[in-house]
Amino acid sequence: MALSYHLQVVNLLAALLLLISFAMLSQRRIVGLITLFAWQGAALAVSTSLVAWATGQHHLYYSAALTVLLKVIVMPWIFYRLVKELDVNRDVEPMINIPTTMLIGIVLVIFAFNLALPISALSGTVTRSTLGIAMATVLLAFLMMITRSKAIPQVIGFLAMENGLFFAATSATYGMPLVVELGVALDVLVGVFVLGIFFFQIRETFDSLDLKHMEKLKEK
Amino acid sequence: MEIYWVLGIPIAGGVFLALWGSRRNAPEINALVSMLTFLAAAMLTQRIIEQGPMMVGNGWFFIDSFNVFLVTLTAFVAFTTSLFSRPYMRIEKEHGRLNDKRLRLYHSSYQVFIAAMLLALTTNNMGILWVSMEAATLATVLLVSLYRTPASLEAAWKYFILCGVGIAQALFGTILLYFAAEKVLGSGGTALLWTQLNGVKAQLEPTVLQLAFVFLLVGYGTKVGLAPLHNWLPDAHAEGPTPVSAVLSGLLLNVALYAVMRCKVLVDGALHTDMAGNLMMGFGLLSVVVAAFLIKRQTDVKRMFAYSSIEHMGLITFTFGMGGAVASFAGLLHMTMHSLTKSAIFFAVGHATQKAGTQVMDGIRGLIKTNPTVGWGLMLGTVAILGVPPFGVFASEFLIITTAMHEHPWATPFLLTALGVAFAAIFGRVQPMVFGETELPRLPHMPALAPVFVHLGLVLMLGLFIPPYLAAWYRQAAQLLGG
Amino acid sequence: MSTGILLQIAQTLIAILLAPLLMGWVNQCRAWLQGRSAPSIAQPYRTLRKLFHKDAVIASNASPLFRFAPYMIFACMALAAGIVPTIANDLPFSPAADVIALVGIFALARAFQALAAMDIGTSFGTLGARREMLVSFLAEPALLMVFFTASLISHSTELSVIVATLAHRDFIIYPSMAFAAVAFWMVSTAENARIPIDNPATHLELTMIHEAMILEYSARHLALIEWAVAMKLFTYSALGIALFVPWGIAPQGDFSALPLALAAMIVKLGAGGAVLAFIETISAKVRLFRAPEFLGTAFLLAVLGMLTHFLLEV
């Protein structure tokens, strides 16, 4: 059962998305992480446009445009500026070493693929097989969040998780209603702004964006 | 029609205060806006009582007895909190902990937060529900870190990240819900409308809804403060300014639980099993027990009462999980009582800590001598939240325990033990704070404690006598929840 | 049948003879990219001729293995070069071209190489042998995973069947092959001792892997080993082409497609060599203790490719 060409390319882009998630896990430099995040957004936007073209769901074009605007242009720009102005140390400093992280990542991918199978079976879209990849992206981003002790990589992990969720919505249901997507995008943007302000506050108080300074509030 | 006022006034207030919130009378403007919101909410309630549930704005908003009472409660507590915050924040400014710029942020975020909560309560669209829950969190992150101390920054960061991860799970749950709904209702905006979903809930795919509910419970449950996802709550509620703690504890937790309940109604209709209820009972019970046993170890008064919030929200979750007419009634009653009492306690605690200059309980003694009104307020509030009759919390807890004994006897020993442990711990801590020995003289000025006593008065009244229209209202809402 | 055998011999000879040319081409591209003037493309041939004319100098304590190893290595590489389909598919030797057997042939050559390196007993030899074994110990599973991914698509481990499936079916993009391609590139970098794992031009003790093993060889032995290295690169490139860009390889028994296949092979190898030179120019050699990480990543990518196959293509 050969799929039409644009859907094959969508599958390829989904694989690329997964590759980028792994690359983010193994990335050692913060600036590289931001670039990878921008590429993830770009792959997502191209994939969404292709699905829009192949299936005639025109509202997906707007989603793709929104993704490009926010996740490929605006947010990476904000992060680059934050890195420059906060004068962050450029290393990521993971808490578990990178080969172990990748191994845990593979286990999560297998888990995600298994989790997605029953839902994929029920879906009516042509892109349903990519739901497993979407869930894997979410779980890998989550892994990245919990194994990083610096503020910016944690936030990028959070945003990558949101990318994965967006991809899941597109692959399982041809995207959420446009108004919801707009709302989500707005939330994410406001979140990034709030975080930017927050980073400055953290930097002012702790002179560093290393979150190890912020582990004092434990159970006494 | 009224709904647009209810939402528009706080939004307009937020914008106005963002521009002009550094003025000297910003707290008064804040209180005025909150009062107008409350009046609009009261008018909306009046309309619903007369006409029954209604959809407004071409299906965008849906008001029935369940959320209208929460809307009124939210607007009311927001109003009284804004009254409390007027002198409180002024004194904070005098003490040097805040400046005009931060007060501007505080006042405008406060109004935006209220607007987001009211939007979450009244929207018919599950996607917009998610958006407004996240917006409410975002509006308060910078408020938690308002004092810029290391502890408050850490609390705000944990709040942001943990609630963010939680809300991402809820987003996935919403996507799954849309996925199931799309098959029956077709794609497009109508598939996420709660009223539509409620109509076709029997046709929704059970496996998908099961999975969706798990994600939604974990996601929104993080915001309710259910164990084991409660880590952010004590820090966030303790480190922010007291008015923020009051609205977070008293209001946001309710709204998150409201979101869970809306989903539960759909899932129950699709599954015809008790899975949703059992999950909620499990998480609720866990929260009650975990919180009760952690209360003893607290040294900070606001953290202690934050754990008490976790305990009570766990109790309410457990109650709603039990299901049935009486349980739902009890749950709704407890939601109201907890909101009013907890915010009253935070008001009193706020004044006490402000006077003493510390939040550590060992540093506060003999409030009854230095400041009788604060002392009595704290004592009565504590007694109320611990479930002592004739306050209203006793009535709801009584209903909950008896229903549990009737239907789920295995849970009753846990509940009773936990409630008892919490009682002993909190009472043991508050008693020296109020009646202990102190050499400090009586303080000159009277704090504005009207809100405390108004709340406590309401709780007392509702404990003794629930007006018939209120009872009917609760019963209607309970029926909606599957009672 | 006899034409088949002739074709087989021709393919093997072409592989053997063209391998040094590929090496020369890669060096020339590298020189162009680095802005210096390059030796001519035929330089490796001249080097080989020079080495064959010299007298071999062998340490007095060398065992017969030391003398035998270069011939063995050359023979293995020649066999490998012959059975990988470069211009024609399904030749008489191709039932031997099972991918697992191919990995085994490489392993055999490597074993002899390492043993010969340790034979004399100098520290450089042992050093090189141990490092080489570390790298290939990690690279082999990754290579096998890449092959398994290709086999899953074509339902066979025989290279001829794989090439036939991938080249002659309708053009379908296989995402799993995309992962496998990246993994294969990483593995072949490690196996062929190219940057970023090993620098073929270095003789620094800290950094050399492959060069350390062949320090003791001279004259014809060295010539055979250098030729074998070139053939290994050629074989790996041909393998990569056969797996990932197989269009142009003449199908079984179709002799009219041979000239096109030859031209296609030259073009693809040329492009591959240029890309290799480009990657070598822009990368830096990674430190040795990062090599396991590099290869671990390759392995994980190959596993990912397999998993993606099960998800997206079944």
Side-chain angles (χ1 to χ4, degrees), chain A residues 153-166:
Chain A
Q154 265 195 12
V155 172
I156 303 253
F158 180 61
L159 291 172
M161 201 158 69
E162 207 270 322
N163 269 353
L165 286 173
F166 175 75

Side-chain angles (χ1 to χ4, degrees), chain C residues 267-292:
Chain C
V267 167
K268 283 189 254 179
L269 281 177
V275 169
L276 177 63
F278 178 68
I279 295 180
E280 287 211 321
T281 314
I282 62 175
S283 321
K285 180 180 168 326
V286 302
R287 294 153 71 187
L288 187 63
F289 72 86
R290 289 227 198 276

Side-chain angles (χ1 to χ4, degrees), chain B residues 152-165:
Chain B
S152 66
L153 283 175
E154 183 184 335
W157 179 258
K158 263 164 88 166
Y159 178 39
F160 183 91
I161 290 288
L162 288 177
C163 280
V165 171

